[in-house]
Amino acid sequence: MRRSPSLLPLLVRGALRSPFKRPSATADFPRTRLVLPGLRVDLARLAAYERVCGFATGEDALPVTYPHVLGFPLAMSLMSGRDFPLPLLGLVHTSVEITRHRELTASGAYELTVYVDGLAPHRRGTEASVVTELRVGEDVVWESVSTYLARHRTTETGAQRDRGRDQERHGPLPAVAEWRLAGDIGRRYAAASGDRNPIHLYPLTARLFGFRKAIAHGMWTAARCLAAHGTPPAVRVLAEFRAPVLLPGTVTYAADGERFELCDGERVHVTGGVYPPGGPASAGAAS
């Protein structure tokens, strides 16, 4: 692959193919590894991303979540393909695990690899795991696993991969800040990230998919929390997206030590943690 694909045609392609997909945890999935060598960061787009997510601007460093943005078009290319068994429409980003092995410069050149790692049963349907890797030479300097859920009727029970239900619970975390979220956050993040899923843009387009308002991107909520929490150069980040954040709205950022949450009253939207590399192995461990 010589350059990153445009997201809008992939979204359209995936939408048109969605009605013909028959999701199942036992279905075959693409084994293709998409590789984009010689990748360089668009600094203007990076600055827009940093502003909308709350990261410091003007530094020669990539925010810990930014490689996800770089890899997302390749992930979409796989998930909108004919051989990907889950429908792109309605696919829900349920969790992300990120390991950054060292600080990444914004001015560097990287090799990007994205592939589907497998399917797993979930009590609400089928989940796909998508791996993104960033390399400098032969060294993996950043890697992530994102899980995406396709909801459908299933005979699976809560004993399957429903992270957070079988994990040790903790009490509410202490509130740190209250954030008032503007109605255009989804559009601003879409402009910076390229992810223009209609559920994030306007109330009207969100209603087409069952939401009464536009909802914030899951990766924006994770990035906003991590910008507030801070991350060391070598770090493992876990985040689980539990409930949509409606826009506009008001949410509470809460944190205690390694853990963080984004809440609205007793409803938890995002839960996660910031750990040394080799920390907890799944997003559910942060719940």
Side-chain angles (χ1 to χ4, degrees):
M1 182 170 290
R2 294 185 177 181
R3 61 186 180 88
S4 185
S6 175
L7 276 169
L8 184 57
L10 296 176
L11 181 60
V12 173
R13 183 178 78 176
L16 293 175
R17 287 175 173 167
S18 288
F20 304 99
K21 299 296 180 77
R22 296 295 179 264
S24 167
T26 59
D28 196 14
F29 59 90
R31 265 64 174 185
T32 306
R33 288 179 177 243
L34 298 182
V35 179
L36 182 62
L39 175 66
R40 290 193 174 273
V41 174
D42 182 328
L43 297 182
R45 185 176 170 189
L46 171 61
Y49 177 88
E50 291 169 333
R51 285 192 295 269
V52 73
C53 295
F55 291 106
T57 60
E59 300 178 0
D60 187 19
L62 294 182
V64 66
T65 49
Y66 195 70
H68 174 86
V69 172
L70 300 176
F72 190 64
L74 274 66
M76 281 286 289
S77 183
L78 291 172
M79 292 190 292
S80 65
R82 193 182 305 276
D83 54 350
F84 185 73
L86 308 185
L88 190 63
L89 284 184
L91 205 61
V92 179
H93 195 182
T94 51
S95 74
V96 65
E97 305 179 13
I98 295 172
T99 301
R100 182 173 64 187
H101 298 281
R102 70 188 200 204
E103 195 75 67
L104 307 179
T105 63
S107 56
Y110 301 96
E111 180 180 275
L112 185 68
T113 302
V114 178
Y115 60 94
V116 178
D117 195 40
L119 305 177
H122 186 285
R123 70 186 186 90
R124 292 194 177 101
T126 299
E127 214 169 39
S129 296
V130 179
V131 174
T132 302
E133 298 172 340
L134 208 62
R135 284 181 170 80
V136 174
E138 297 297 320
D139 298 329
V140 176
V141 294
W142 185 99
E143 55 192 314
S144 75
V145 181
S146 279
T147 55
Y148 296 91
L149 173 65
R151 296 179 178 178
H152 59 86
R153 291 184 179 180
T154 175
T155 58
E156 302 297 337
T157 68
Q160 274 64 46
R161 283 189 64 191
D162 191 8
R163 288 174 308 277
R165 290 184 173 267
D166 57 349
Q167 299 290 339
E168 180 181 350
R169 298 290 182 174
H170 59 73
L173 300 181
V176 176
E178 185 177 86
W179 296 336
R180 294 185 179 181
L181 309 182
D184 67 346
I185 284 290
R187 297 190 293 276
R188 289 171 57 202
Y189 183 83
S193 68
D195 183 358
R196 291 182 170 83
N197 188 320
I199 64 175
H200 304 303
L201 302 182
Y202 299 97
L204 180 60
T205 55
R207 288 190 197 108
L208 296 175
F209 299 92
F211 298 97
R212 61 186 178 88
K213 293 183 179 180
I215 64 172
H217 295 72
M219 284 304 297
W220 177 85
T221 62
R224 185 67 186 88
C225 289
L226 291 167
H229 193 285
T231 54
V235 66
R236 186 175 183 84
V237 170
L238 310 176
E240 182 180 358
F241 309 117
R242 294 191 175 183
V245 175
L246 300 180
L247 300 173
T250 301
V251 292
T252 298
Y253 166 68
D256 183 19
E258 296 172 320
R259 300 196 307 268
F260 64 82
E261 289 180 345
L262 198 63
C263 312
D264 177 7
E266 295 184 355
R267 190 181 197 192
V268 178
H269 297 283
V270 181
T271 184
V274 176
Y275 306 96
S282 73
S287 62

XYZ file of all heavy atoms in Angstrom, residues 55-93:
294
model
N -4.784 17.776 24.229
C -3.348 17.553 24.374
C -2.580 18.861 24.139
O -3.069 19.765 23.455
C -2.847 16.511 23.373
C -3.334 15.114 23.640
C -4.325 14.547 22.842
C -2.801 14.358 24.673
C -4.780 13.253 23.078
C -3.252 13.061 24.915
C -4.238 12.511 24.120
N -1.381 18.934 24.690
C -0.509 20.082 24.442
C -0.147 20.130 22.961
O 0.040 19.089 22.320
C 0.748 19.983 25.291
N -0.059 21.332 22.406
C 0.278 21.503 20.993
C 1.690 22.058 20.846
O 2.262 22.599 21.779
C -0.708 22.461 20.302
O -0.651 23.734 20.960
C -2.127 21.921 20.382
N 2.240 21.908 19.639
C 3.525 22.518 19.332
C 4.736 21.692 19.717
O 5.872 22.134 19.517
N 4.545 20.500 20.273
C 5.671 19.658 20.656
C 5.929 18.605 19.583
O 5.010 18.198 18.864
C 5.387 18.973 21.999
C 5.160 19.952 23.148
C 4.830 19.238 24.441
O 4.789 17.982 24.439
O 4.618 19.929 25.461
N 7.198 18.186 19.469
C 7.547 17.149 18.493
C 7.275 15.776 19.104
O 8.172 14.968 19.326
C 9.009 17.277 18.084
C 9.376 16.322 16.944
O 8.451 15.846 16.248
O 10.578 16.031 16.768
N 5.999 15.521 19.395
C 5.611 14.266 20.025
C 4.191 13.912 19.611
O 3.343 14.791 19.433
C 5.694 14.380 21.548
N 3.935 12.608 19.443
C 2.599 12.140 19.114
C 1.847 11.793 20.396
O 2.376 11.068 21.244
C 2.664 10.893 18.227
C 3.246 11.039 16.822
C 3.177 9.703 16.100
C 2.515 12.114 16.040
N 0.622 12.280 20.569
C -0.198 11.808 21.689
C -0.343 10.287 21.637
O -0.309 9.681 20.555
C -1.548 12.504 21.458
C -1.223 13.700 20.624
C -0.075 13.292 19.750
N -0.520 9.688 22.781
C -0.525 8.225 22.867
C -1.624 7.601 22.013
O -1.475 6.463 21.532
C -0.651 7.793 24.348
C -2.008 8.183 24.932
C -0.396 6.301 24.511
N -2.715 8.318 21.763
C -3.824 7.780 20.977
C -3.725 8.093 19.482
O -4.511 7.551 18.694
C -5.160 8.351 21.495
O -5.032 9.778 21.611
C -5.511 7.767 22.854
N -2.785 8.946 19.066
C -2.805 9.415 17.679
C -2.501 8.320 16.654
O -3.081 8.329 15.556
C -1.848 10.592 17.480
C -2.115 11.314 16.180
C -3.278 12.063 16.014
C -1.242 11.229 15.100
C -3.565 12.698 14.821
C -1.515 11.872 13.905
C -2.676 12.605 13.767
O -2.950 13.231 12.580
N -1.628 7.347 16.935
C -1.436 6.290 15.928
C -2.713 5.536 15.580
O -2.820 4.969 14.493
C -0.392 5.380 16.593
C 0.412 6.310 17.447
C -0.604 7.268 18.008
N -3.698 5.520 16.482
C -4.983 4.914 16.132
C -5.608 5.649 14.946
O -6.188 5.019 14.050
C -5.939 4.962 17.329
C -7.326 4.482 16.998
N -7.702 3.159 17.048
C -8.433 5.169 16.581
C -8.968 3.041 16.680
N -9.438 4.239 16.401
N -5.497 6.979 14.953
C -6.018 7.780 13.841
C -5.285 7.434 12.548
O -5.900 7.316 11.483
C -5.868 9.285 14.156
C -6.227 10.144 12.947
C -6.744 9.658 15.347
N -3.970 7.245 12.629
C -3.191 6.907 11.444
C -3.578 5.540 10.888
O -3.605 5.337 9.674
C -1.695 6.920 11.792
C -1.128 8.248 12.306
C 0.337 8.076 12.706
C -1.267 9.340 11.248
N -3.902 4.610 11.782
C -4.222 3.263 11.344
C -5.678 3.037 10.990
O -6.014 2.043 10.335
N -6.565 3.949 11.399
C -7.988 3.727 11.221
C -8.405 3.556 9.754
O -9.250 2.692 9.456
C -8.789 4.848 11.886
C -10.259 4.582 11.950
C -10.758 3.520 12.689
C -11.169 5.381 11.269
C -12.122 3.257 12.754
C -12.528 5.135 11.324
C -13.007 4.068 12.066
N -7.864 4.316 8.797
C -8.256 4.078 7.398
C -7.923 2.665 6.931
O -8.698 2.063 6.171
C -7.454 5.133 6.621
C -7.224 6.230 7.611
C -7.007 5.524 8.920
N -6.804 2.108 7.371
C -6.464 0.738 6.984
C -7.412 -0.251 7.652
O -7.831 -1.234 7.033
C -5.012 0.428 7.354
C -3.943 0.825 6.332
C -3.879 2.340 6.182
C -2.577 0.282 6.735
N -7.763 0.009 8.915
C -8.736 -0.845 9.594
C -10.079 -0.797 8.876
O -10.747 -1.830 8.694
C -8.884 -0.402 11.047
N -10.485 0.395 8.456
C -11.749 0.534 7.729
C -11.696 -0.186 6.390
O -12.699 -0.739 5.929
C -12.063 2.009 7.527
C -12.646 2.689 8.738
S -14.369 2.211 9.001
C -15.143 3.074 7.628
N -10.537 -0.179 5.756
C -10.387 -0.881 4.490
C -10.651 -2.373 4.671
O -11.309 -3.012 3.838
C -8.976 -0.656 3.935
O -8.824 -1.272 2.679
N -10.179 -2.925 5.784
C -10.420 -4.337 6.069
C -11.875 -4.589 6.459
O -12.506 -5.536 5.983
C -9.493 -4.798 7.190
C -8.001 -4.875 6.861
C -7.197 -5.148 8.117
C -7.735 -5.956 5.816
N -12.423 -3.729 7.334
C -13.767 -3.978 7.865
C -14.867 -3.663 6.866
O -16.006 -4.092 7.049
C -13.965 -3.179 9.157
C -13.098 -3.681 10.298
S -13.516 -2.959 11.912
C -13.028 -1.244 11.668
N -14.563 -2.911 5.819
C -15.561 -2.644 4.777
C -15.453 -3.617 3.616
O -16.236 -3.542 2.673
C -15.406 -1.207 4.256
O -14.146 -1.049 3.611
N -14.489 -4.535 3.695
C -14.261 -5.474 2.601
C -15.325 -6.557 2.512
O -16.044 -6.853 3.462
N -15.393 -7.159 1.354
C -16.385 -8.212 1.101
C -16.160 -9.421 2.013
O -17.109 -10.108 2.413
C -16.313 -8.643 -0.365
C -17.479 -9.507 -0.831
C -17.290 -9.915 -2.287
N -17.091 -8.767 -3.151
C -18.065 -8.031 -3.665
N -19.315 -8.334 -3.385
N -17.775 -7.012 -4.459
N -14.890 -9.698 2.370
C -14.588 -10.899 3.145
C -14.615 -10.676 4.648
O -14.369 -11.608 5.413
C -13.220 -11.457 2.733
C -12.098 -10.427 2.831
O -12.401 -9.233 3.034
O -10.920 -10.817 2.690
N -14.934 -9.450 5.119
C -15.093 -9.211 6.551
C -16.530 -9.561 6.920
O -17.472 -9.024 6.340
C -14.783 -7.755 6.887
C -14.802 -7.453 8.366
C -13.785 -7.898 9.183
C -15.841 -6.719 8.934
C -13.789 -7.622 10.548
C -15.860 -6.443 10.292
C -14.824 -6.894 11.098
N -16.754 -10.476 7.885
C -18.096 -11.030 8.077
C -19.061 -10.160 8.877
O -20.252 -10.469 8.913
C -17.808 -12.332 8.846
C -16.558 -12.047 9.616
C -15.738 -11.144 8.722
N -18.581 -9.102 9.526
C -19.467 -8.285 10.349
C -19.918 -7.046 9.582
O -19.128 -6.448 8.845
C -18.760 -7.855 11.638
C -18.115 -8.961 12.474
C -17.569 -8.395 13.782
C -19.089 -10.092 12.746
N -21.172 -6.633 9.728
C -21.648 -5.429 9.023
C -21.014 -4.179 9.603
O -20.966 -4.001 10.830
C -23.157 -5.459 9.262
C -23.329 -6.253 10.519
C -22.227 -7.269 10.534
N -20.523 -3.301 8.733
C -19.887 -2.076 9.209
C -20.909 -1.156 9.876
O -20.616 -0.529 10.906
C -19.210 -1.357 8.044
C -18.312 -0.182 8.421
C -17.135 -0.645 9.267
C -17.806 0.531 7.173
N -22.113 -1.070 9.316
C -23.161 -0.252 9.932
C -23.583 -0.872 11.263
O -23.906 -2.051 11.338
C -24.373 -0.143 9.008
C -24.253 0.790 7.809
C -25.581 0.852 7.067
C -23.810 2.175 8.211
N -23.554 -0.065 12.295
C -23.919 -0.550 13.619
C -22.781 -1.168 14.401
O -22.962 -1.557 15.558
N -21.599 -1.279 13.795
C -20.447 -1.833 14.492
C -20.027 -0.873 15.606
O -19.852 0.320 15.374
C -19.300 -2.037 13.499
C -18.254 -3.107 13.829
C -18.890 -4.483 13.917
C -17.162 -3.102 12.771
N -19.862 -1.392 16.828
C -19.599 -0.565 18.002
C -18.183 -0.820 18.507
O -17.793 -1.972 18.745
C -20.609 -0.886 19.131
C -20.313 -0.047 20.372
C -22.035 -0.648 18.659
N -17.417 0.258 18.665
C -16.071 0.159 19.240
C -16.226 -0.036 20.746
O -16.706 0.840 21.447
C -15.292 1.449 18.936
C -13.817 1.329 19.168
N -12.950 2.384 18.999
C -13.044 0.271 19.553
C -11.719 2.000 19.262
N -11.758 0.720 19.602
